Amino acid sequence: MTPAAVLSLLPTSLCRPRSRIYTKKSAPGRGGFRVVAVFGEDGGAGGVERKSAWEAIFDVEDPRTRLPLSKGKFLDAHQALEVARFDIQYCDWRARHDLLTIMILHDKVVEVLNPLAREYKSIGTMKKELAELQEELSQAHQQVHISETRVASALDKLAYMETLVNDKLLQEKSTRETGSDCTSLAPSTSSAATNTIAKKPPRKRLNVSGPVQPYHSNLKNFWYPVAFSSDLKDDTMIPIDCFEEPWVIFRGKDGRPGCVGNTCAHRACPLHLGSVNEGRIQCPYHGWEYSTDGKCEKMPSTRMLDVRIKSLPCFEHEGMVWIWPGDAPPTSTLPSLLPPSGFEIHAEIVMELPVEHGLLLDNLLDLAHAPFTHTSTFAKGWSVPSLVKFLTPASGLQGYWDPYPIDMEFRPPCMVLSTIGISKPGKLEGQNTRECSTHLHQLHVCLPSSRQKTRLLYRMSLDFAPLLKHVPFMHILWRYFADKVLNEDLRLVLGQQDRMINGANVWNWPVSYDKLGIRYRLWRDALEQGVKQMPFTK
C-alpha cells in the first residue's frame, strides 16, 4: 500500500500535530481581530525528534532482541524456518519505521505550509525548508521501496524453505534413518549465507533447457482425458497421439469407448483412415476388423488367425474419455474435472498445438503476463499492477492471484482449473472471486502428444447467462475467441521452445509471481526422480 493510500485510510484527527498558538495584535483602526498562527512545539516546522501521534500506531517491538541463537554449527529444518520467520518480522519492523519517517515528515510539511504562519517566515526561508523536506521525503520513499523488496525477498526465502522441507528433506528421509547427517539447511545464520541458499539452488534445480528429453515412464502412470464424450459418436473414431505413440478411440458394440493402437497388425496401415462397423474398427487396406480390446475379430479373404494389437484401459467419466498409458496397474478411481456447483458448460474445444506440453502448462499457470500479452482479448483494459503475487497454501498446487480475482489449481498430471470473477466479459470487479457476482470456470487439459506437440482440451463454464448456450452458432464464437487468446500465447511459447531447444533456460530467473509454475516443475522433477512422497500434495 502506498503512503497516500495509508493516509486516506487513517482518521484526520491523527494528522493534527500538537501545536502552540501565537497571537499578534491587529493594526489600529481595524477592529479587535487578532491573527492566529499555528506552529509546531519547537516554534518552527517541528523536528523528527518530537513526540508524534503517528508513533503510537507504528510502535512495534524490535524483534532482533528475540532472534533465536543456534547452538550448533548447522541449522536443522525447524531452526532454519524459525530464522526465516524472524527475518520477516524484522523486515516488517524496519518497514514500519520507514513509513513512520514519511508520516512525521508529512506533519512537518503541513506546519511549513500553514498560511497563518507566513508573517513569521520569509518566502526564502519557507522555500529552503520545503526543499529540504522534499529531499528527505524522496529518500524516505526510496527507503520504503527498499523495505518492500526486502519483505518480498524474505517471503520468497520462506517459500523456498517450505519447498526444502516438503521435498528435499523427505527425499533424504531414508538416508537420515541410516545415520547420515542430512539435517543441515545452511552453513551459517548470516544474511549472506541465507540469501545464497534462497537464490542459487532454485536456479540449479529449475534448469529447463536443451532439446526435450523422452518422457519418463512415471509420467505415464496417470489417467489422461483425451476427448470429450460429445465428440465420439457410435460410427466415428478419434485419432490421437499420446507420449509419441499413435492411438485411435472408438465405441464398441456396447457403446463404451475403447482405445487401440492406430496401426493395423497386417501391413501397418493407419486404422483411423478406415471406418467403424458394428462396434469394430475396420482397416481400409484389407478389411481386418478390431474390437475395443485390440482383438482382430474379422479377416476377410483369408483364414482367421489369433491376432491382437495394443490397447489401453479406457473409460468414460463425467463427459470425457480417459485412458491409462502407463505400465503400472491403473488406479481404481478417476479424478473429477467438473465445474463447481451452479455452473453450466457452454463450450468444449479441442486443439492441436505445436508446443511441448510442459511449456504450455507453464504458460497457463502464469497470469502475470496477461496485461502485456492478452491486450486485445480478455485482458483488454487491464491495468498493470505494481506487484503481482500468487498466494498458495504452504503445501499445495492451488491458490489465488493478487490483485486479480482468479482462483487457480494445477491438478496432476496435466490439468489446470481456474475460476475467474467477472462483472462482464473482460472486466475485473473485485479483489477475489468471492467479491464478484458472476464467474467463468475454465478447464485446460494438456495431453503430451509428443515432445513438441500438445493436444489441448478446453472446457468453459458459466454461472450466469444460461440462455447463451441455446443461441445458434454460439459455439463458433467461443471457438473464435479461444483461438484468438491461444494465438496470443502461442507465438511467445513457440519462441521459448525454439530458444530452449538451442540451450536457453526458460526458468532462469523465477520471481514471486511464478510460484505455481515453479511448484509444477518441482513436482514433475520429483515424479521423474521416483520420489515416494510427492511435494505439494496431501
Side-chain angles (χ1 to χ4, degrees):
M1 181 178 291
T2 63
V6 173
L7 287 173
S8 66
L9 296 177
L10 293 174
T12 55
S13 60
L14 291 177
C15 300
R16 298 170 183 168
R18 291 182 296 178
S19 59
R20 183 180 303 164
I21 300 177
Y22 294 80
T23 63
K24 180 181 178 182
K25 291 184 178 180
S26 60
R30 294 190 181 180
F33 296 101
R34 293 183 298 173
V35 178
V36 180
V38 182
F39 290 89
E41 288 182 332
D42 59 353
V48 175
E49 296 79 9
R50 70 180 175 81
K51 190 67 175 176
S52 170
W54 297 105
E55 294 181 9
I57 301 174
F58 295 96
D59 185 16
V60 178
E61 180 186 357
D62 186 347
R64 290 176 294 184
T65 58
R66 296 180 285 111
L67 180 66
L69 299 177
S70 173
K71 297 181 180 179
K73 183 178 180 181
F74 300 105
L75 297 177
D76 62 22
H78 298 289
Q79 291 172 330
L81 285 172
E82 190 71 6
V83 170
R85 187 173 68 85
F86 273 92
D87 193 12
I88 292 176
Q89 290 181 354
Y90 169 74
C91 289
D92 173 70
W93 174 81
R94 181 69 262 176
R96 288 172 184 264
H97 278 261
D98 295 337
L99 193 56
L100 173 60
T101 301
I102 292 179
M103 298 298 102
I104 295 176
L105 288 171
H106 168 268
D107 288 349
K108 295 172 69 177
V109 171
V110 171
E111 292 175 358
V112 171
L113 294 177
N114 190 331
L116 299 179
R118 292 176 183 172
E119 292 188 34
Y120 295 88
K121 293 182 182 179
S122 67
I123 298 298
T125 300
M126 293 182 65
K127 285 185 177 180
K128 181 180 178 182
E129 290 180 355
L130 287 175
E132 292 174 351
L133 289 174
Q134 185 177 7
E135 178 64 25
E136 291 183 50
L137 277 171
S138 177
Q139 294 176 2
H141 278 284
Q142 184 178 2
Q143 188 61 43
V144 167
H145 290 310
I146 293 174
S147 295
E148 290 176 350
T149 303
R150 286 174 176 169
V151 171
S153 176
L155 291 173
D156 288 341
K157 189 187 306 177
L158 184 60
Y160 180 66
M161 290 293 202
E162 294 171 356
T163 301
L164 288 179
V165 172
N166 287 290
D167 184 11
K168 185 176 180 180
L169 295 182
L170 289 173
Q171 294 179 37
E172 297 176 352
K173 181 178 179 181
S174 59
T175 307
R176 291 199 304 271
E177 290 174 350
T178 60
S180 300
D181 182 15
C182 297
T183 59
S184 64
L185 284 178
S188 109
T189 61
S190 68
S191 176
T194 308
N195 285 338
T196 301
I197 285 182
K199 293 180 180 178
K200 290 186 179 179
R203 290 202 294 273
K204 291 180 180 178
R205 296 186 63 179
L206 289 177
N207 183 16
V208 183
S209 62
V212 182
Q213 300 301 311
Y215 287 111
H216 196 280
S217 59
N218 288 345
L219 193 59
K220 300 179 181 181
N221 291 319
F222 290 90
W223 284 107
Y224 283 87
V226 294
F228 292 111
S229 298
S230 57
D231 293 334
L232 188 62
K233 311 300 181 184
D234 290 338
D235 58 348
T236 62
M237 63 191 103
I238 300 176
I240 65 168
D241 290 329
C242 183
F243 292 109
E244 311 277 354
E245 292 189 73
W247 304 91
V248 61
I249 302 167
F250 65 101
R251 295 189 182 276
K253 291 181 179 180
D254 56 3
R256 297 179 180 177
C259 180
V260 299
N262 193 7
T263 305
C264 182
H266 179 211
R267 301 283 294 277
C269 181
L271 292 175
H272 76 275
L273 299 177
S275 59
V276 176
N277 298 320
E278 299 179 350
R280 296 188 299 268
I281 190 168
Q282 184 185 70
C283 177
Y285 209 167
H286 297 94
W288 290 23
E289 297 183 6
Y290 301 89
S291 58
T292 54
D293 62 358
K295 181 179 179 181
C296 184
E297 294 186 344
K298 189 174 183 180
M299 294 181 181
S301 307
T302 186
R303 183 164 54 93
M304 189 72 179
L305 301 174
D306 185 14
V307 175
R308 285 181 177 270
I309 57 176
K310 291 192 298 182
S311 64
L312 296 177
C314 183
F315 287 94
E316 195 168 15
H317 178 63
E318 296 180 345
M320 303 182 81
V321 178
W322 301 65
I323 64 171
W324 182 279
D327 296 328
T331 57
S332 58
T333 58
L334 280 72
S336 176
L337 298 180
L338 286 177
S341 176
F343 283 80
E344 188 170 353
I345 297 172
H346 281 251
E348 292 179 335
I349 299 170
V350 180
M351 302 180 184
E352 300 287 344
L353 306 176
V355 64
E356 194 269 331
H357 94 291
L359 289 177
L360 186 58
L361 282 169
D362 289 342
N363 174 266
L364 293 171
L365 295 172
D366 170 22
L367 191 69
H369 72 279
F372 306 97
T373 305
H374 300 291
T375 54
S376 63
T377 53
F378 71 90
K380 186 176 182 179
W382 282 21
S383 60
V384 179
S386 58
L387 184 66
V388 177
K389 296 180 289 184
F390 186 84
L391 306 175
T392 187
S395 179
L397 291 165
Q398 72 285 332
Y400 61 95
W401 288 91
D402 181 11
Y404 305 116
I406 297 180
D407 299 336
M408 186 170 285
E409 175 184 1
F410 166 71
R411 188 167 298 178
C414 65
M415 286 81 83
V416 177
L417 296 95
S418 59
T419 301
I420 305 174
I422 54 177
S423 55
K424 57 183 178 178
K427 299 295 182 181
L428 299 179
E429 182 178 285
Q431 291 299 310
N432 57 63
T433 55
R434 293 186 300 275
E435 296 178 19
C436 301
S437 57
T438 55
H439 303 83
L440 162 70
H441 184 270
Q442 297 183 111
L443 165 68
H444 292 85
V445 178
C446 302
L447 179 69
S449 299
S450 68
R451 280 178 280 180
Q452 293 186 37
K453 188 172 72 171
T454 299
R455 179 179 174 85
L456 175 66
L457 277 65
Y458 173 74
R459 182 156 67 189
M460 186 200 74
S461 307
L462 303 174
D463 64 354
F464 64 99
L467 294 179
L468 283 178
K469 188 174 182 179
H470 306 289
V471 174
F473 309 111
M474 195 66 191
H475 65 284
I476 298 177
L477 180 61
W478 292 133
R479 175 76 190 211
Y480 169 78
F481 185 76
D483 282 337
K484 192 170 183 180
V485 172
L486 273 172
N487 284 331
E488 289 177 329
D489 283 319
L490 195 58
R491 62 190 182 90
L492 307 179
V493 180
L494 284 173
Q496 280 184 302
Q497 180 171 263
D498 178 67
R499 281 151 180 77
M500 180 189 73
I501 291 173
N502 289 309
N505 183 9
V506 298
W507 277 105
N508 196 38
W509 286 101
V511 293
S512 58
Y513 54 65
D514 293 322
K515 181 180 289 187
L516 190 57
I518 291 171
R519 291 193 172 191
Y520 157 66
R521 285 292 178 176
L522 295 178
W523 172 86
R524 183 168 166 180
D525 288 347
L527 177 73
E528 294 177 353
Q529 293 167 12
V531 176
K532 293 183 179 179
Q533 179 64 44
M534 294 298 295
F536 315 118
T537 55
K538 296 180 181 180

